[in-house]
Amino acid sequence: LGHGFTSSAWYAQSDTQFWAGNVPLHSALLYLWMKAFGFSITAVRSINFAYFAASILLLWRASIRLNLLKSSWLRLALFGLLTGGYSMVFAYRSGRPDCLAMLLICGSVYVHSRRCWRQRIFGGAALGFLMPWAGLQLLPMLAVGGALLWLYLGRAVFLELLATAAGVGIGGISLAWFYVAHGVWPQFLLSVRQHTTIGFFGWLGKGELRHSNLVPKDFSFMVLFLLAVLLAVRWLRKGNLKSPLSFGLVYSVTLTIALIFSGKFPTYYGWMTYVPLSLCLCMILDQLPPAQIWRRVGGIFLTGAVVVSLGLHGITALSDWTDRDYANVEKLLRENVTADDWVYGDFSTYYAAKKTAARVFLPLYLSAFAEGEKERVTVLVVSPRNLEEATHAIGGEWVTTGKGFTPSRNGFWASRRNMGFLSTLNYDLKVYRRVK
């Protein structure tokens, strides 16, 4: 937008410094995307649909090349599971970069399906190089997935895993050099440390277990995991310990534990366990005779995973349709903020305020304000419940303009101050101006 690669929504540094977040690959692609489609909440979020569509296409093609799914209906079932899963919908409807990480992983599976060994080796290395640039949250997934693939498949994938690991290592070093070269290496380390040192007992001790990002709330995964456990009871009687089913179960449990204890496992990380388990379940059902009762039971569970997802997402969307209409926020900011204003606002104000105001700051930036910036903030657009926190940190005296947007209710299953189990709080904004 003409202000350089900076952020006024980050806690570890000022917006006058080169931004030291951990997803520069998504930011670079998003820059090109906005050049084509402009800046808006729709434009920014829509890039995830492109990532997601490419991910599904690559995984579907790889399942045919590797003969993972012989049945066409199970390939379609996998498509339905991935498109309709709870964490999947959560990911591709958001503005986060998780679908880009998913694309790189699905791309790796596709590269593995190529016949030419050079394409598999060098393709895996190239994708591995990009992975640290797409998000460091991929590292636990790569470690757990790579170790289990080597354990299950042995020498058949050893060289490819080694090439990918080498690419990841070189990519990580290049990412470090990138931030060192821009003089923000300490800020990058601070950003990473904030998200990797809390851990399970830290969240539990803070009393944030239910509403925190510690527990993944992927209800579709829960349905699939139950099916996997039921099938495992039957499968283990045959003594086949190295099956797609056992891989999916061991991988899901191991990665979940690793993510929780390394820092967090929010819903938007859910694809990391949901995608592999979906593929493994479809593979195991594909091995059953068409008339086998468990194949029918599996079909019911697969359908249930999608139904519970679309049902819950649908309920939360429809129940707060009017209160979650972003046009209300855009109208409020358009009518009450000028091009000369420096705005501090709740997260929901960002896209609307960015189009109008001279500068925009978000709540995470309270600890990063540079000398003299706080005094130049002229407008607060915040929820009344967040007013005291904002004024205490920024200082000055503020009065309400009487303008705002009040929702008809706080949100689906939400209390007055906390987000609900399924949704965030509805938009509740008031405009305040500095008088001193």
Side-chain angles (χ1 to χ4, degrees):
L1 300 179
H3 303 292
F5 191 53
T6 61
S7 173
S8 58
W10 206 238
Y11 53 86
Q13 59 186 136
S14 165
D15 71 343
T16 59
Q17 297 175 307
F18 191 87
W19 184 54
N22 66 348
V23 286
L25 179 59
H26 171 69
S27 299
L29 294 174
L30 187 59
Y31 168 80
L32 299 176
W33 188 265
M34 289 192 294
K35 282 292 185 181
F37 300 105
F39 174 79
S40 69
I41 189 171
T42 302
V44 169
R45 293 189 173 193
S46 63
I47 193 172
N48 276 325
F49 284 85
Y51 294 154
F52 183 73
S55 301
I56 299 302
L57 179 62
L58 289 173
L59 191 60
W60 170 78
R61 186 60 183 159
S63 69
I64 296 176
R65 284 178 175 272
L66 296 172
N67 203 27
L68 300 179
L69 299 173
K70 299 177 183 178
S71 171
S72 58
W73 82 265
L74 277 168
R75 289 196 294 269
L76 288 173
L78 178 63
F79 173 83
L81 281 173
L82 300 186
T83 305
Y86 189 84
S87 61
M88 307 296 283
V89 176
F90 193 102
Y92 64 68
R93 286 182 65 241
S94 77
R96 288 184 47 82
D98 301 288
C99 287
L100 175 59
M102 187 192 312
L103 174 59
L104 295 179
I105 295 297
C106 292
S108 296
V109 179
Y110 174 77
V111 165
H112 174 66
S113 72
R114 303 292 296 181
R115 292 182 179 180
C116 177
W117 69 269
R118 292 183 181 85
Q119 292 180 0
R120 297 198 301 271
I121 297 298
F122 291 106
L127 290 171
F129 175 86
L130 293 175
M131 287 175 186
W133 293 75
L136 298 183
Q137 68 273 17
L138 279 177
L139 298 183
M141 180 184 189
L142 294 171
V144 172
L148 289 176
L149 283 172
W150 179 73
L151 180 64
Y152 274 70
L153 301 178
R155 290 192 298 178
V157 295
F158 179 74
L159 288 179
E160 294 171 46
L161 291 176
L162 190 62
T164 301
V168 171
I170 296 172
I173 293 172
S174 68
L175 181 65
W177 172 84
F178 177 71
Y179 287 125
V180 170
H182 286 89
V184 291
W185 177 245
Q187 289 82 356
F188 173 71
L189 291 180
L190 179 61
S191 300
V192 173
R193 193 179 304 119
Q194 179 71 18
H195 292 282
T196 56
T197 57
I198 299 174
F200 178 79
F201 295 106
W203 284 111
L204 193 61
K206 292 167 63 178
E208 298 180 359
L209 184 61
R210 179 172 180 267
H211 291 295
S212 76
N213 281 334
L214 173 65
V215 181
K217 303 178 181 71
D218 188 341
F219 304 97
S220 296
F221 174 81
M222 297 174 188
V223 175
L224 296 188
F225 190 78
L226 177 58
L227 172 62
V229 171
L230 293 175
L231 287 172
V233 174
R234 172 192 180 278
W235 222 260
L236 289 176
R237 293 176 181 174
K238 296 185 176 183
N240 185 8
L241 297 180
K242 286 190 176 181
S243 68
L245 181 61
S246 67
F247 179 92
L249 281 170
V250 174
Y251 167 85
S252 298
V253 172
T254 305
L255 182 59
T256 297
I257 294 173
L259 286 171
I260 288 176
F261 279 86
S262 65
K264 62 180 181 179
F265 190 172
T267 303
Y268 43 79
Y269 287 179
W271 69 269
M272 297 186 192
T273 52
Y274 182 81
V275 174
L277 185 61
S278 296
L279 178 59
C280 289
L281 279 173
C282 288
M283 288 173 62
I284 211 69
L285 292 175
D286 199 34
Q287 297 177 15
L288 297 175
Q292 168 66 251
I293 184 64
W294 277 105
R295 193 162 181 170
R296 298 177 183 176
V297 171
I300 294 173
F301 272 84
L302 299 189
T303 303
V306 175
V307 169
V308 71
S309 166
L310 299 183
L312 291 173
H313 278 295
I315 289 171
T316 55
L318 293 174
S319 63
D320 298 312
W321 188 267
T322 301
D323 290 335
R324 299 293 294 178
D325 185 355
Y326 199 68
N328 297 317
V329 181
E330 292 178 319
K331 181 175 184 293
L332 178 66
L333 271 294
R334 186 171 57 249
E335 294 176 352
N336 293 277
V337 172
T338 70
D340 297 324
D341 279 322
W342 283 34
V343 178
Y344 170 87
D346 287 350
F347 294 106
S348 60
T349 66
Y350 178 78
Y351 289 99
K354 200 73 173 175
K355 295 178 180 179
T356 305
R359 299 279 292 276
V360 181
F361 306 98
L362 296 187
L364 287 179
Y365 196 74
L366 283 177
S367 60
F369 267 110
E371 188 70 28
E373 283 184 335
K374 293 180 180 180
E375 292 77 10
R376 299 187 64 182
V377 175
T378 55
V379 182
L380 306 179
V381 187
V382 297
S383 169
R385 62 178 171 270
N386 298 327
L387 177 62
E388 183 178 354
E389 176 189 22
T391 55
H392 177 75
I394 296 175
E397 295 183 12
W398 303 82
V399 295
T400 178
T401 64
K403 305 296 183 179
F405 175 77
T406 302
S408 59
R409 64 177 185 173
N410 295 311
F412 188 69
W413 285 1
S415 65
R416 196 175 75 85
R417 292 192 61 84
N418 295 317
M419 67 179 183
F421 193 70
L422 297 177
S423 64
T424 57
L425 291 168
N426 285 334
Y427 303 132
D428 180 14
L429 299 170
K430 296 291 184 293
V431 180
Y432 304 87
R433 282 204 168 267
R434 184 190 289 271
V435 293
K436 186 176 180 181

